[in-house]
């Protein structure tokens, strides 16, 4: 009998910040850029707050800032 799993494979992305932009690079190499002006909490965040993120089904969640960026 085959085993079935409802667990989705975790997708991995790379998150970086530069020149007032948030860059999100997906596994396939495609990159999206978002102006930090769209996310005031990220704009004024510390490096530690920006580094505390997790990937969700809909995008990236910055845990300490209670902010989500949809992809």
């Amino acid at each position: 009998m085959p085993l079935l799993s409802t667990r989705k494979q975790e997708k991995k992305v790379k998150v970086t910040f530069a020149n007032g932009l948030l860059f999100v690079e997906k596994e396939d190499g495609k990159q999206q850029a978002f102006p930090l002006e769209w996310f005031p909490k990220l704009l004024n965040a510390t490096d530690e707050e920006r580094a505390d993120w997790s990937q969700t089904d809909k995008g990236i969640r910055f845990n300490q800032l209670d902010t989500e960026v949809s992809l």
Side-chain angles (χ1 to χ4, degrees), residues 1-5:
M1 176 186 254
L3 295 175
L4 300 176
S5 175

Side-chain angles (χ1 to χ4, degrees), residues 8-58:
K8 293 182 180 179
Q9 285 186 337
E10 185 175 326
K11 296 180 181 177
K12 296 182 182 179
V13 297
K14 181 179 177 185
V15 175
T16 55
F17 296 86
N19 302 319
L21 296 169
L22 160 64
F23 294 96
V24 179
E25 185 176 332
K26 298 180 182 179
E27 275 187 298
D28 62 7
K30 292 183 182 178
Q31 190 176 68
Q32 288 182 273
F34 303 90
L36 289 178
E37 294 169 345
W38 293 358
F39 308 98
K41 288 182 179 181
L42 279 174
L43 179 64
N44 298 312
T46 64
D47 289 340
E48 180 182 317
E49 291 170 325
R50 289 179 178 179
D52 182 18
W53 62 270
S54 55
Q55 187 171 357
T56 67
D57 291 338
K58 296 180 181 180

